Amino acid sequence: WTWAQEFDPAFRLMGPQVRFVFASYAQTLGVDMSIASRRLLLSDWYMQNYMRKRFTLAEDQSNKLKFDTSVGGSRLVASTDGGVTGRGGDIFAIDDPHSTQQADSDQERENVIRWWQRTVQSRLNDPKSGAFVIIMQRLHEADLSGYILDQSEADWVHLCLPMMHEKPRHCVTVKLP
């Protein structure tokens, strides 16, 4: 969707020049998501409606872990146990940083939070216009979402979608300081 938009200098996170980093707890999960994304980009529907009008995939960098657009955009796969040092993005998306099997381990949760603190937070190409997106189910109070919710310094929008509909508990969106 982002790459299908026209570039707008006033809002740098639109258009095929946007650079993405997608991370998950396991690189294999990230590769699966990358393959699905690449298949969509190469589908007849997407190519006819968006891609041919604005960009192509670069031929010299087009694989499962990273592919580039002809106008400077990219999609890179990372994992919480793999480094992204030296790499950056305009949008850094983290999908399921904790595995359900390891979420009860204090050490594993601390490893993910340390990865966030020491590596990820400095990976935005432009901290003023870039964005972090974290998508996860809550697995423990001290998971990455819990850590970020406790840190009120950053400007975040928190969208909570309960697993089951309950009248007193519904979809909640809160903008943190």
Side-chain angles (χ1 to χ4, degrees):
W1 184 85
T2 298
W3 283 354
Q5 308 307 305
E6 295 275 349
F7 172 69
D8 180 355
F11 189 64
R12 299 200 53 220
L13 299 182
M14 290 291 187
Q17 80 294 338
V18 174
R19 294 180 178 205
F20 289 94
V21 177
F22 285 91
S24 183
Y25 69 87
Q27 189 157 355
T28 54
L29 179 59
V31 167
D32 289 347
M33 290 186 285
S34 181
I35 291 169
S37 176
R38 197 167 185 285
R39 284 183 181 151
L40 172 66
L41 290 171
L42 295 174
S43 71
D44 289 338
W45 174 82
Y46 193 91
M47 289 182 83
Q48 288 173 359
N49 289 292
Y50 302 108
M51 204 158 127
R52 288 194 182 123
K53 297 175 185 176
R54 296 189 178 94
F55 69 99
T56 60
L57 291 183
E59 292 180 21
D60 62 340
Q61 180 58 58
S62 183
N63 62 50
K64 294 175 184 178
L65 296 176
K66 184 176 188 284
F67 50 88
D68 296 339
T69 69
S70 56
V71 293
S74 62
R75 185 189 197 291
L76 173 69
V77 172
S79 66
T80 58
D81 60 356
V84 289
T85 304
R87 308 280 182 112
D90 301 310
I91 299 174
F92 199 115
I94 303 169
D95 186 1
D96 292 328
H98 304 277
S99 75
T100 55
Q101 293 83 9
Q102 298 175 337
D104 289 330
S105 163
D106 292 342
Q107 184 63 49
E108 291 299 326
R109 287 191 316 276
E110 290 170 14
N111 288 344
V112 169
I113 291 169
R114 197 174 308 102
W115 171 77
W116 167 259
Q117 293 169 327
R118 295 181 182 172
T119 305
V120 176
Q121 286 187 303
S122 63
R123 297 295 106 203
L124 289 179
N125 290 337
D126 182 352
K128 292 180 181 175
S129 66
F132 291 110
V133 178
I134 300 173
I135 305 154
M136 64 180 286
Q137 82 182 54
R138 294 301 307 272
L139 297 170
H140 192 280
E141 287 183 12
D143 60 17
L144 182 60
S145 284
Y147 172 80
I148 289 171
L149 290 170
D150 287 344
Q151 307 298 312
S152 59
E153 304 164 13
D155 187 17
W156 288 91
V157 173
H158 176 227
L159 173 63
C160 176
L161 300 171
M163 185 172 70
M164 296 176 57
H165 174 73
E166 300 168 354
K167 285 191 178 191
R169 186 173 175 195
H170 54 281
C171 175
V172 178
T173 304
V174 178
K175 183 167 175 142
L176 302 175

